[in-house]
Amino acid sequence: MNQANQPQFATPLNRRKGTIEMNHGAGGRAMVQLIQEVFQAHLSSPELLAGDDGATLSMPAGRVVMASDAHVVSPLIFPGGDIGSLAVHGTINDVAMMGAMPLYLSAAFILEEGFPLSDLETIVASMGRAAHEAGVPVVAGDTKVVERGKGDGVFVTTTGIGVLQDGIGPSGDGAQAGDTVLVSGTIGDHGIAILSKRENLDFETEIRSDSAALHTMVADLIAAGVDLHVLRDPTRGGVATTLNEIAQQSGVGIRINEADIPVKSEVAAACELLGIDPLTIANEGKMLVFCPAADADKALNVMRNHSLGQDAAIIGTIVEDPNGFVQMETSFGGSRMVDWLVGEQLPRIC
Amino acid sequence: MNQANQPQFATPLNRRKGTIEMNHGAGGRAMVQLIQEVFQAHLSSPELLAGDDGATLSMPAGRVVMASDAHVVSPLIFPGGDIGSLAVHGTINDVAMMGAMPLYLSAAFILEEGFPLSDLETIVASMGRAAHEAGVPVVAGDTKVVERGKGDGVFVTTTGIGVLQDGIGPSGDGAQAGDTVLVSGTIGDHGIAILSKRENLDFETEIRSDSAALHTMVADLIAAGVDLHVLRDPTRGGVATTLNEIAQQSGVGIRINEADIPVKSEVAAACELLGIDPLTIANEGKMLVFCPAADADKALNVMRNHSLGQDAAIIGTIVEDPNGFVQMETSFGGSRMVDWLVGEQLPRIC
């Protein structure tokens, strides 16, 4: 929409005390005002400002990657992030894990009647900052409102598209016997940050979510010529579930070493206190990299030289195993099976 | 995921009596089973079956259009459709209204704990059929679960991408004085269908939603060489709100003739009974076309020759008017202003 041609509103939204009302989702003037004063104000890409049903985008030639995530995290705002930044990072990472460079995002909001406009603005502003910092603009969106008691504040679904260079194509079925497994940093931070906020746990040191966009680290690995067999971010279900998925998809076994897996001491302490295995906890700014052993040191160096990869580590190897078992050498010298997450453990973690 | 490498489950989901549980969203084995047995079973694109974080797609060269819609319609199943088919049609139409040919969809589900698996399967199967009939596959997706009372059965967010031919670019700011306005068929069907189901109204003839994908009609208009200044589907807020949006975006006035606007007699009767203006009611399978007067007859013929456009009509013209007013010649010979929808009228219509 040309800004000059936007409808004018006599009274701006009451950002301090106002709340979401059903008419903010009805398609009329109230919705236009909410979109202008909150969404367009903070997500000011030219495509979004055009006010059309969709966005027209320029894309370089090549294969396209598309990924979509619904976000229902509770609480909406947590140490190290909120649903707005998480929705940007989560979807950028899903596109990046395909080896692609994310270029554009869409964001669809489902708002609950009565939700404070001030909280909505905090979340949308955070989404705008995260998108800006990542260099991946929000170009299209939608807003719906449901009655009080039919939602939970805000749900956000983000979809990302990106382009994939020729010759690049990491995939869950790409792991090969002999490959090395790396992780880009400490595990368990996001899940423990959410849990501590949700349960009002007070640890000596505040544990913050690792929520972050990993696409530039992937780009660095590609630029360095690392042969990326598999990339995946261990979100819901944690490293344990992600490794099992990949073992299944690739038809291989995985062996990891507990002592090599980086875990912050305060996260380890919280896990012990709560009786949770850090391997099953969601991460939102970490990735697992599977590459040929010959490329492992190069990959490790590239990751450690990236601001988000200082704690990167080599944690295991791929073996032939038609059963697709994941096994871990424990710190005590024994060995145990690492299984899929069973049950829910931490609902609404992302 | 290679089907051969998928995890095997001893007991299939209980589709008849089972319900959604929190662990269906937790990222573990229960989620994998739900995805395999419900989502992949009905939305069986190769990209979705790959089981990766996103889909790798081939796109022809050209500009790309992206559009996203959250769907919160209530009831979930209604005469003429359900949230699954609606989510496919709605997003295909948003891409098509940019003049683009939709190629791929993603779908993200937010499920409420306790929702019957049989209803979910009905909805996902309907989504699969709608996508198949439209020739636009669902290639990526996500599933989250929220606690009972924190959602409302199912919310679905769909995102579509498509390609835009060179030289094509209808846009809300493209209307010019002298243009003709056409509508592709009868208005108000979707809103009245939803309302009658919601309120248990019993009309003599069942009124069915017009939910349908319009991209092939757009392609026909482009192939016929119609100069498309504006295309838009009058969903939330109806024809009245959509015309006001376009008048604002383009900085023009719009004059329409009430007698020329196609409304089914049963819809007109329901509107009179309920005291609702059919111009403000949502449609889900209709579009407004703005083109030069010289192209109007050609556009009308193309639309009427399409199975979804048999009731297409010329309904108005564009005039110079910096105020952007929309006015209607009434059937009684008078003239009245057509305003934006104010208030909510019909919440959760799409």
Side-chain angles (χ1 to χ4, degrees):
Chain A
M1 205 174 285
N2 288 320
Q3 297 214 279
N5 288 341
Q6 289 190 334
Q8 302 299 314
F9 298 97
T11 317
L13 287 172
N14 184 341
R15 286 183 160 79
R16 243 171 8 106
K17 295 187 178 171
T19 58
I20 289 293
E21 295 162 22
M22 289 308 292
N23 65 9
H24 284 125
R29 290 183 78 94
M31 190 175 87
V32 173
Q33 185 172 20
L34 181 73
I35 290 173
Q36 274 183 34
E37 296 186 17
V38 177
F39 292 100
Q40 291 182 339
H42 294 288
L43 308 171
S44 55
S45 62
E47 295 84 2
L48 207 64
L49 291 172
D52 281 319
D53 281 338
T56 303
L57 311 167
S58 61
M59 298 272 285
R63 291 169 299 161
V64 168
V65 163
M66 181 178 199
S68 198
D69 283 300
H71 297 273
V72 300
V73 67
S74 173
L76 294 168
I77 299 172
F78 47 81
D82 56 66
I83 194 170
S85 54
L86 183 69
V88 167
H89 296 152
T91 294
I92 285 179
N93 290 347
D94 276 355
V95 173
M97 293 308 112
M98 304 294 293
M101 181 52 58
L103 293 177
Y104 302 106
L105 294 172
S106 68
F109 286 75
I110 298 175
L111 306 173
E112 185 189 8
E113 182 187 17
F115 188 68
L117 282 175
S118 58
D119 287 356
L120 180 63
E121 185 152 42
T122 299
I123 288 164
V124 177
S126 168
M127 168 173 269
R129 275 193 306 277
H132 180 76
E133 284 167 14
V136 186
V138 177
V139 296
D142 190 25
T143 307
K144 294 282 157 65
V145 178
V146 295
E147 302 87 344
R148 210 180 284 265
K150 300 292 187 184
D152 196 16
V154 182
F155 301 139
V156 186
T157 297
T158 36
T159 303
I161 56 175
V163 283
L164 192 55
Q165 281 181 37
D166 282 343
I168 308 293
S171 171
D173 61 6
Q176 295 172 20
D179 281 357
T180 298
V181 184
L182 301 92
V183 67
S184 65
T186 58
I187 67 167
D189 304 15
H190 176 73
I192 295 297
I194 296 288
L195 194 65
S196 62
K197 173 85 179 178
R198 202 185 283 170
E199 308 292 340
N200 264 317
L201 301 176
D202 220 356
F203 300 114
E204 270 181 48
T205 320
E206 186 188 58
I207 298 170
R208 295 171 64 81
S209 167
D210 59 349
S211 178
L214 296 167
H215 59 311
T216 55
M217 199 190 295
V218 173
D220 288 352
L221 289 167
I222 292 172
V226 175
D227 185 6
L228 299 169
H229 287 178
V230 187
L231 291 177
R232 195 162 294 175
D233 53 339
T235 57
R236 279 182 289 179
V239 169
T241 299
T242 303
L243 291 178
N244 272 285
E245 281 172 10
I246 294 167
Q248 283 282 348
Q249 284 182 266
S250 297
V252 297
I254 303 179
R255 301 286 178 272
I256 56 175
N257 291 304
E258 188 170 23
D260 296 333
I261 300 171
V263 184
K264 287 193 175 119
S265 58
E266 56 267 36
V267 170
C271 284
E272 210 167 297
L273 187 75
L274 299 163
I276 301 177
D277 181 350
L279 283 173
T280 62
I281 301 179
N283 309 277
E284 290 291 345
K286 297 294 151 44
M287 63 179 175
L288 296 165
V289 177
F290 292 54
C291 66
D295 283 359
D297 285 337
K298 182 162 66 176
L300 186 65
N301 281 330
V302 168
M303 289 159 82
R304 286 195 172 160
N305 281 326
H306 191 282
S307 60
L308 295 172
Q310 287 156 3
D311 299 316
I314 290 173
I315 62 166
T317 54
I318 305 304
V319 297
E320 287 190 31
D321 177 0
N323 295 312
F325 288 148
V326 180
Q327 288 179 279
M328 182 166 74
E329 199 82 21
T330 68
S331 302
F332 306 108
S335 171
R336 74 163 171 95
M337 291 286 292
V338 176
D339 205 356
W340 296 71
L341 173 65
V342 178
E344 54 184 279
Q345 192 176 67
L346 292 173
R348 300 184 58 187
I349 201 73
C350 60
Chain B
M1 204 174 286
N2 289 320
Q3 298 212 278
N5 289 339
Q6 290 190 333
Q8 302 300 314
F9 299 97
T11 317
L13 287 172
N14 184 342
R15 287 182 159 80
R16 243 169 11 106
K17 295 188 177 171
T19 58
I20 289 294
E21 295 162 22
M22 290 307 293
N23 65 9
H24 286 126
R29 290 182 78 93
M31 189 175 88
V32 172
Q33 185 172 19
L34 181 73
I35 290 173
Q36 275 182 33
E37 296 186 17
V38 177
F39 292 100
Q40 292 181 339
H42 294 288
L43 307 172
S44 55
S45 63
E47 296 83 2
L48 208 63
L49 291 172
D52 281 319
D53 281 339
T56 303
L57 310 168
S58 62
M59 297 271 286
R63 292 169 299 160
V64 168
V65 163
M66 181 179 199
S68 197
D69 283 302
H71 297 274
V72 300
V73 67
S74 174
L76 294 168
I77 299 172
F78 47 81
D82 56 65
I83 194 171
S85 54
L86 183 69
V88 167
H89 296 153
T91 294
I92 284 179
N93 290 348
D94 276 356
V95 173
M97 293 307 112
M98 304 295 292
M101 182 51 58
L103 294 178
Y104 303 106
L105 294 172
S106 69
F109 286 75
I110 298 175
L111 306 174
E112 184 189 9
E113 183 187 16
F115 187 68
L117 282 175
S118 58
D119 287 355
L120 179 63
E121 185 151 42
T122 299
I123 288 164
V124 176
S126 169
M127 168 173 268
R129 274 194 306 276
H132 180 76
E133 283 167 15
V136 186
V138 177
V139 296
D142 190 25
T143 307
K144 295 281 157 65
V145 179
V146 296
E147 301 87 344
R148 211 180 283 265
K150 301 292 186 183
D152 196 15
V154 182
F155 301 140
V156 185
T157 297
T158 35
T159 303
I161 56 175
V163 283
L164 192 55
Q165 280 181 36
D166 282 344
I168 309 293
S171 171
D173 61 5
Q176 296 173 19
D179 280 357
T180 297
V181 184
L182 301 94
V183 67
S184 65
T186 57
I187 68 167
D189 305 13
H190 176 73
I192 295 297
I194 296 287
L195 194 65
S196 61
K197 172 87 179 179
R198 202 185 284 168
E199 308 292 341
N200 264 317
L201 301 176
D202 219 357
F203 300 115
E204 268 179 50
T205 319
E206 187 189 55
I207 297 169
R208 294 170 66 81
S209 167
D210 59 349
S211 179
L214 296 167
H215 59 310
T216 56
M217 198 190 297
V218 173
D220 288 351
L221 289 167
I222 291 171
V226 174
D227 185 6
L228 299 168
H229 287 178
V230 186
L231 291 178
R232 194 162 294 174
D233 53 339
T235 57
R236 280 182 289 180
V239 169
T241 299
T242 303
L243 291 178
N244 271 285
E245 281 172 11
I246 294 167
Q248 283 282 348
Q249 283 181 266
S250 296
V252 297
I254 302 179
R255 301 286 178 273
I256 56 175
N257 291 305
E258 187 171 23
D260 296 333
I261 300 171
V263 184
K264 288 192 174 117
S265 57
E266 56 266 36
V267 170
C271 285
E272 210 168 296
L273 187 76
L274 299 163
I276 302 177
D277 182 351
L279 283 173
T280 61
I281 301 180
N283 309 277
E284 290 291 344
K286 298 294 151 48
M287 64 178 174
L288 296 165
V289 177
F290 291 54
C291 67
D295 283 358
D297 284 337
K298 181 162 65 177
L300 185 65
N301 281 330
V302 169
M303 290 158 82
R304 286 194 173 163
N305 282 325
H306 191 282
S307 60
L308 295 172
Q310 287 156 1
D311 299 316
I314 290 174
I315 63 166
T317 54
I318 305 303
V319 297
E320 289 189 28
D321 177 358
N323 295 313
F325 288 147
V326 180
Q327 289 179 280
M328 182 166 75
E329 200 81 22
T330 68
S331 302
F332 306 109
S335 172
R336 74 164 170 94
M337 291 286 292
V338 176
D339 206 356
W340 296 72
L341 172 65
V342 179
E344 55 184 278
Q345 194 176 65
L346 292 173
R348 301 185 56 188
I349 201 72
C350 60

